[in-house]
Amino acid sequence: MSTPSPVPVGVRLPLPTEDLTPQDQVDLCRHALDLGYSSFWVGDHVVLPETTSSPYPHTGDGKAGFRSDTPWTDPFIHLTWLAAQLPEARFGTSILILTLRNPTLVAKQLASMSWLTRRPFSLGVGTGWLREEYDAVGATFEKRGTRARRDIAQIKELLSRGSYDYTVRGADDEDVDLTFSMLPTAPAPVEFLWGGFSPLALKIVARDCDGWLPAKQSVEDLERHLVRLRAACDEAERDFSELRLVVKPGSGPDPANGAIDKDSLAAYGELGFHEAVLEMPYETRSLTDAKETLDRVAARSWL
């Protein structure tokens, strides 16, 4: 086992393809653990349109770095399956599009995953950018940030208390408030990390979440965002030091917004980040190629 990086580095796994089988993903994770990587993360989409007018927020031209026929697994099923075979590993989502989903069902999936795996879980969440995906699943795109705050509170209550008060139809279709149970609860901690950096996003981090998971920002931009996040914490009367800060540079082994290497990890550490996540290319040609990417990043970063 290698000496770990001063700032732990996790891995956002490549997406499943015919060239990277389920067993290949397990082998890739074991190779990453041997190299000293700290955790494994998966992203999220439910359905993708063949064309879109929604601008992708993380590239200069507004175009996403993946195609509509790119395969995406369900994050909870994917990570529960990996956890069963990698009992020493830590997992998270980067990110789950929370407001595409019913919060009660999300809580049920999280509680089940926690009960089955018996380990902490990092739930990176956000509201996404793809309006057409919301339309396809019957979710409302507008005011999704406001809904996310309510959803997070509901999920946390269900995970911890195992109950929640719902308004349901009673006799004569009149609204009735009833307390419902949802068991099992989550036996292991679930931390909520918000994935955005807009003014509203930073307020959500300060008021409702356990940490922050910004994507594809330069060190200079992160420094400016952190000033704003501290101000949001002051406004919410939240201790900034309570937050867990996880940075996610741009896509691929050599992202445009900064590669993961000794210098960038030192800079992230100076800013107070607790972990960095290497975004592997969405699709890889083979297990060998994926392992070589991990080898290359580890060699220039801490090996």
Side-chain angles (χ1 to χ4, degrees), residues 8-271:
V9 178
V11 179
R12 192 206 63 188
L13 295 170
L15 300 176
T17 66
E18 293 301 317
D19 298 319
L20 193 70
T21 67
Q23 186 56 51
D24 286 342
Q25 287 226 346
V26 175
D27 293 345
L28 182 64
C29 290
R30 288 182 175 138
H31 184 70
L33 290 171
D34 288 342
L35 289 171
Y37 287 92
S38 59
S39 56
F40 303 104
W41 307 69
V42 297
D44 176 41
H45 278 289
V46 178
V47 290
L48 293 171
E50 291 186 355
T51 60
T52 176
S53 60
S54 300
Y56 184 67
H58 301 305
T59 56
D61 60 7
K63 295 181 180 179
F66 50 85
R67 306 182 310 275
S68 64
D69 62 352
T70 301
W72 298 77
T73 55
D74 177 271
F76 296 130
I77 294 174
H78 192 157
L79 293 178
T80 301
W81 180 83
L82 282 175
Q85 300 171 85
L86 298 161
E88 71 276 37
R90 184 166 55 85
F91 298 99
T93 55
S94 175
I95 61 165
L96 182 83
I97 309 171
L98 182 63
T99 40
L100 276 181
R101 295 165 166 85
N102 179 290
T104 302
L105 296 180
V106 171
K108 187 66 174 181
Q109 289 175 293
L110 279 169
S112 300
M113 181 178 182
S114 180
W115 188 85
L116 289 166
T117 65
R118 303 286 165 150
R119 74 189 73 179
F121 184 70
S122 298
L123 186 71
V125 292
T127 57
W129 56 277
L130 187 54
R131 178 186 55 77
E132 293 91 342
E133 187 173 19
Y134 274 78
D135 293 345
V137 303
T140 303
F141 188 69
E142 290 71 26
K143 297 184 178 179
R144 59 199 187 281
T146 301
R147 293 203 320 279
R149 295 192 61 196
R150 182 175 63 248
D151 291 353
I152 290 170
Q154 178 180 335
I155 293 167
K156 284 184 173 182
E157 188 165 347
L158 284 165
L159 292 179
S160 59
R161 291 181 54 220
S163 64
Y164 192 77
D165 295 335
Y166 293 89
T167 300
V168 299
R169 288 182 299 169
D172 302 321
D173 283 339
E174 294 182 358
D175 288 346
V176 177
D177 292 333
L178 288 180
T179 300
F180 284 72
S181 295
M182 189 205 77
L183 298 173
T185 56
V190 177
E191 65 174 3
F192 285 73
L193 308 174
W194 191 261
F197 43 83
S198 68
L200 175 59
L202 297 182
K203 288 182 179 180
I204 292 173
V205 174
R207 297 174 182 175
D208 307 295
C209 292
D210 305 295
W212 187 41
L213 180 62
K216 302 176 180 65
Q217 297 293 290
S218 66
V219 171
E220 294 75 20
D221 285 340
L222 287 171
E223 191 170 8
R224 288 191 289 269
H225 292 322
L226 283 168
V227 172
R228 295 165 50 224
L229 180 55
R230 287 180 181 274
C233 285
D234 290 342
E235 183 181 344
E237 299 182 346
R238 173 78 179 277
D239 185 351
F240 175 82
S241 67
E242 294 178 351
L243 297 178
R244 197 164 92 86
L245 307 178
V246 182
V247 64
K248 187 172 67 169
S251 318
D254 292 292
N257 287 325
I260 289 181
D261 56 24
K262 285 184 174 67
D263 291 339
S264 64
L265 289 175
Y268 297 142
E270 288 176 4
L271 289 177

